[in-house]
């Protein structure tokens, strides 16, 4: 029998960026909040002396334990879906801070075009630009409506940047801290992009350029450019993460506590409301019921969707009929990349996760698509993240894969290779979705989430076009050898690509095509909120974290309103 605990005002399932933001705002307003985190506690003091590439970057110390829970994957419905036994294409976080601990720190705002993509695309290019198999829809909220929440998130996190991107939405204030250092490598990209008529700007970074105190009184350190950001925690407290910002803000109110090793397996529903959640203590195996006035799912994209599915809340998407919304519009990202080999040596060892320069000349609808066979595009960036020796071993084409020639080429080119990459938008397709696997279960007896995903014609066309544009920049930078990435065919879940999964719990203005309303309140349960990149109806040409943060602050405001009056917020 599960033990029933004392009721709280708000319970969050997961304590990363979203759970931390919800907790901080609700706790500051006087609500009693409990965070359920299935991982362990951790903080800056735990990251001292962690420049261990093998332990963290290769063996994934900070990531989800796939021996207990994973997903199954197939490219299409005729394939047998099989479990992902080792992390590959994306890296699911676990523990306090979630993926907000091991991220690089790129912090963009999605473009105004993204939020009204269906309306704007059809107005400019007609209704037949994409086939009916692409499930394009507006988000139900505009950039201008979200701008104050973007501003709040950036001020909480102290984002370092410069307001010089001509394609960005209007800002109500400047970045809280100046941009990071413009290194010789970044200047090389800047000069090349400018000479081609493009508009480079310093990448907005959560690796802060200077010490910063946020409006809640939390201090974030200055980046040391050590090169250990992605897949690592920051021992300097200089990479903004939930553990050094929103979580301590919530804790100091006295209205927030966290239960660790708590794996939520069910959301409990009665009528048009939920009553709480059921979770398993992953250490003792005991079951508990946590009652709450408001339940907020703030776990990762896939875990949020799975929890709704196993709890039978909402109608699961059926690709045959088009009915249902839960699991619909799964999106990833398209990653055109070009490598360049140079004659001169460069300092590639030092860096930071979000030290870079970007252009948006081929992102969103900032360029004309009338004669192109795709919509949207990508931000194109060069980043100086710090080349670590196990993961980075660059050699030019035609180099043997082993032996003395390989070793010589590897040593020669380690400091002479640069890479430029694009983060391409992903348009939703009727055959890309999430569901429950009929055969496999996790360590707690719950069905695994099944992912059905493949690249589409839109993706392949965009990838080819953008690869050509990136190659032109690399050539202009003076590379002696320019190596474009291979064209994409079928999606492969094995090699790492990006932890920018979206969709499955999409937002909108109509329950017929969305899981939650524009305040991320579930259509079928008025006191259930679902917060994360799963709310995105499509994926954009940027990292999603800044946009998720803005949505979370808007939802926190909505939860406070709901706590006073109840009912639907729309």
């Amino acid at each position: 029998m599960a033990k029933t605990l004392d009721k709280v005002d708000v319970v969050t399932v997961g304590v990363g960026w979203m759970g931390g933001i919800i907790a901080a705002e609700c706790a500051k307003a006087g609500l009693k909040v409990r965070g359920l985190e299935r991982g362990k506690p951790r903080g800056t003091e735990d990251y001292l002396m962690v420049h261990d590439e093998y332990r963290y970057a290769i063996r994934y110390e900070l990531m989800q334990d796939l021996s207990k829970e994973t997903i199954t994957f197939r490219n299409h419905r005729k394939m047998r879906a099989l479990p992902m036994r080792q992390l590959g294409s994306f890296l699911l976080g676990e523990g306090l801070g979630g993926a907000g601990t091991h991220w690089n720190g790129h912090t963009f705002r999605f473009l105004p075009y993204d939020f009204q993509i269906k309306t704007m695309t059809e107005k400019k290019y007609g209704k037949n630009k994409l086939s009916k198999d692409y499930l394009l829809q507006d988000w139900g909220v505009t950039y201008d409506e979200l701008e104050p929440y973007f501003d709040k998130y950036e001020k909480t996190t102290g984002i370092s940047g410069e307001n010089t991107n001509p394609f960005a939405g209007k800002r109500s204030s400047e970045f809280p801290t100046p941009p990071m250092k413009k290194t010789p490598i970044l200047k090389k990209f800047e000069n090349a992009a400018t000479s081609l008529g493009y508009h480079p700007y310093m990448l907005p970074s959560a690796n802060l350029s200077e010490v910063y105190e946020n409006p809640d009184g939390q201090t974030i350190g200055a980046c040391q450019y050590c090169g250990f950001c992605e897949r690592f925690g920051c021992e300097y407290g200089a990479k903004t993460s939930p553990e050094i910002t929103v979580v301590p803000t919530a804790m100091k109110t006295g209205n927030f506590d966290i239960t660790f090793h708590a794996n939520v397996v069910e959301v409990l529903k009665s009528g048009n409301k939920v009553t709480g959640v059921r979770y398993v203590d992953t250490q003792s195996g005991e079951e508990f019921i946590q009652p709450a006035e408001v339940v907020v799912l703030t776990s990762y994209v896939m875990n949020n969707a799975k929890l709704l599915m196993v709890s039978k809340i909402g109608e699961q998407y059926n690709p045959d009929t088009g009915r249902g919304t839960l699991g619909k519009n799964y999106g990833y990202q398209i990653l055109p990349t070009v490598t360049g080999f140079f004659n001169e040596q460069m300092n590639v060892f030092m860096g930071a996760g979000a030290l870079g320069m970007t252009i948006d000349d081929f992102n969103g609808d900032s360029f004309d698509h009338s004669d192109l066979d795709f919509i949207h595009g990508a931000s194109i960036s060069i980043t100086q993240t710090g080349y670590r020796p196990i993961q980075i071993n660059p050699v030019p084409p035609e180099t043997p894969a082993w032996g003395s020639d390989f070793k010589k080429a590897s040593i020669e080119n380690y400091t002479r290779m640069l890479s430029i990459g694009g983060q391409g938008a992903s348009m939703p397709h009727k055959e890309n979705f999430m569901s429950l696997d009929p055969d496999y279960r996790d360590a707690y007896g719950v069905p695994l989430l099944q992912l059905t995903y493949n690249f589409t014609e839109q993706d392949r066309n965009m990838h080819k076009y953008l690869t050509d544009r990136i190659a032109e920049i690399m050539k202009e930078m003076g590379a002696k050898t320019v190596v474009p990435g291979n064209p994409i065919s079928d999606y492969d879940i094995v090699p790492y690509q990006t932890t920018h999964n979206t969709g499955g719990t999409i937002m909108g203005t109509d329950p017929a095509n969305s899981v939650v309303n524009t305040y991320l309140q579930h259509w079928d349960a008025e006191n259930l909120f679902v917060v994360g990149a799963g709310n995105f109806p499509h994926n954009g040409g940027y990292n999603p974290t800044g946009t998720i943060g803005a949505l979370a602050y808007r939802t926190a405001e909505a939860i406070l309103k709901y706590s006073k009056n109840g009912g639907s917020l729309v």
Side-chain angles (χ1 to χ4, degrees):
M1 294 290 291
K3 179 182 178 180
T4 301
L5 304 173
D6 292 338
K7 193 174 189 178
V8 296
D9 295 318
V10 179
V11 63
T12 72
V13 179
V15 189
W17 271 125
M18 305 309 104
I21 289 171
I22 299 298
E25 295 306 293
C26 291
K28 285 191 294 184
L31 298 182
K32 296 294 184 181
V33 186
R34 175 158 296 151
L36 300 179
E37 170 55 55
R38 69 179 177 186
K40 61 185 179 181
R42 61 191 182 196
T44 304
E45 65 278 4
D46 299 304
Y47 308 135
L48 297 174
M49 306 302 291
V50 296
H51 289 188
D52 185 337
E53 183 183 3
Y54 187 76
R55 179 181 176 185
Y56 289 92
I58 307 301
R59 290 302 184 193
Y60 305 133
E61 174 80 11
L62 301 179
M63 316 306 178
Q64 182 172 306
D65 182 355
L66 296 194
S67 70
K68 294 181 178 179
E69 181 178 2
T70 184
I71 67 167
T72 66
F73 166 73
R74 59 187 182 176
N75 282 124
H76 53 78
R77 288 188 280 160
K78 293 182 180 180
M79 286 180 67
R80 169 75 187 277
L82 296 173
M84 181 172 65
R85 301 289 187 181
Q86 182 174 317
L87 287 167
S89 182
F90 40 84
L91 303 175
L92 308 177
E94 186 170 279
L96 182 62
T101 295
H102 68 75
W103 70 320
N104 260 328
H106 300 204
T107 312
F108 295 94
R109 301 177 174 194
F110 270 27
L111 297 166
Y113 171 71
D114 283 304
F115 301 103
Q116 297 173 284
I117 189 168
K118 180 176 173 64
T119 298
M120 289 186 175
T121 299
E122 291 183 353
K123 181 179 180 180
K124 188 171 181 180
Y125 303 109
K127 293 186 177 181
N128 298 319
K129 183 64 175 174
L130 293 182
S131 79
K132 58 181 175 56
D133 291 339
Y134 292 92
L135 309 177
L136 212 60
Q137 66 184 64
D138 293 346
W139 293 35
V141 62
T142 66
Y143 172 88
D144 288 342
E145 289 173 313
L146 268 184
E147 201 284 331
Y149 305 100
F150 277 120
D151 187 68
K152 185 174 179 66
Y153 178 71
E154 290 171 357
K155 286 176 178 172
T156 299
T157 52
I159 302 304
S160 297
E162 59 183 2
N163 186 19
T164 59
N165 177 14
F167 305 105
K170 292 182 179 179
R171 302 177 59 89
S172 57
S173 63
E174 296 297 318
F175 283 93
T177 54
M180 301 186 78
K181 294 180 183 296
K182 189 180 294 183
T183 67
I185 289 174
L186 303 190
K187 290 177 182 177
K188 185 185 288 286
F189 174 86
E190 180 182 39
N191 292 337
T194 301
S195 69
L196 291 171
Y198 305 144
H199 304 81
Y201 62 96
M202 288 295 290
L203 195 156
S205 172
N207 321 131
L208 299 201
S209 61
E210 62 185 27
V211 176
Y212 173 76
E213 182 176 314
N214 77 9
D216 292 316
Q218 307 301 334
T219 299
I220 308 166
C223 182
Q224 305 297 304
Y225 299 91
C226 71
F228 286 81
C229 282
E230 184 188 21
R231 309 186 188 187
F232 298 83
C234 180
E235 70 267 41
Y236 304 110
K239 180 176 69 172
T240 305
S241 63
E243 309 99 293
I244 63 171
T245 53
V246 289
V247 171
T249 294
M251 296 293 290
K252 73 180 181 181
T253 67
N255 294 324
F256 177 57
D257 60 66
I258 306 173
T259 302
F260 292 100
H261 308 291
N263 186 56
V264 177
V265 294
E266 184 182 9
V267 180
L268 305 173
K269 187 172 183 287
S270 178
N272 70 335
K273 289 188 175 183
V274 294
T275 59
V277 299
R278 179 169 62 92
Y279 72 87
V280 177
D281 184 310
T282 61
Q283 294 184 313
S284 68
E286 295 179 271
E287 287 195 9
F288 297 88
I289 290 174
Q290 177 60 68
E293 292 290 344
V294 174
V295 174
V296 192
L297 304 189
T298 54
S299 185
Y300 198 69
V301 170
M302 296 167 177
N303 298 324
N304 278 354
K306 174 184 173 180
L307 198 48
L308 291 174
M309 291 175 188
V310 298
S311 305
K312 296 180 171 57
I313 300 176
E315 183 180 357
Q316 292 193 36
Y317 169 67
N318 183 332
D320 285 323
T321 64
R323 291 181 55 85
T325 56
L326 181 56
K328 178 182 174 184
N329 282 39
Y330 174 78
Y332 198 41
Q333 280 194 318
I334 315 307
L335 303 173
T337 304
V338 174
T339 300
F341 294 89
F342 293 78
N343 288 317
E344 72 270 26
Q345 291 198 76
M346 294 165 282
N347 180 6
V348 297
F349 177 78
M350 301 298 287
L355 175 60
M357 292 205 78
T358 302
I359 63 168
D360 278 326
D361 296 78
F362 298 102
N363 197 7
D365 198 42
S366 57
F367 60 112
D368 186 47
H369 292 72
S370 298
D371 297 324
L372 300 176
D373 47 9
F374 63 90
I375 65 168
H376 214 300
S379 59
I380 295 173
S381 305
I382 189 166
T383 54
Q384 189 171 343
T385 58
Y387 288 175
R388 297 187 294 269
I390 298 177
Q391 287 182 285
I392 304 296
N393 212 337
V395 292
E398 312 303 327
T399 303
W402 62 284
S404 59
D405 288 343
F406 169 79
K407 293 177 182 178
K408 180 180 179 181
S410 177
I411 294 170
E412 169 72 14
N413 289 286
Y414 177 77
T415 57
R416 293 176 170 87
M417 183 275 288
L418 296 176
S419 180
I420 304 174
Q423 289 196 73
S426 176
M427 296 301 106
H429 191 275
K430 72 180 189 70
E431 293 294 335
N432 290 335
F433 62 97
M434 292 181 281
S435 56
L436 289 178
D437 192 279
D439 301 317
Y440 294 97
R441 292 179 177 265
D442 64 23
Y444 311 99
V446 178
L448 295 185
L449 187 80
Q450 183 181 87
L451 174 61
T452 304
Y453 178 72
N454 208 353
F455 295 132
T456 68
E457 182 181 7
Q458 147 85 21
D459 300 329
R460 297 183 184 97
N461 295 340
M462 180 199 296
H463 186 278
K464 182 181 185 304
Y465 178 87
L466 293 172
T467 299
D468 291 343
R469 304 290 79 73
I470 298 171
E472 291 167 358
I473 300 173
M474 185 64 80
K475 183 178 179 180
E476 186 70 18
M477 287 174 65
K480 65 177 181 181
T481 304
V482 176
V483 185
N486 293 325
I488 55 174
S489 53
D490 290 332
Y491 167 70
D492 184 356
I493 202 169
V494 175
Y496 181 74
Q497 289 152 76
T498 176
T499 308
H500 300 159
N501 318 74
T502 62
T505 57
I506 57 177
M507 63 188 289
T509 57
D510 188 340
N513 65 6
S514 56
V515 173
V516 295
N517 63 28
T518 55
Y519 294 99
L520 311 189
Q521 179 186 36
H522 202 287
W523 289 111
D524 295 345
E526 66 177 45
N527 62 335
L528 174 62
F529 294 80
V530 186
V531 189
N535 303 131
F536 296 8
H538 73 277
N539 206 347
Y542 290 134
N543 300 61
T545 309
T547 300
I548 305 170
L551 289 172
Y553 272 112
R554 188 170 186 266
T555 297
E557 191 175 88
I559 291 170
L560 293 177
K561 181 179 179 181
Y562 175 85
S563 70
K564 296 176 182 177
N565 304 313
S568 173
L569 294 166
V570 297

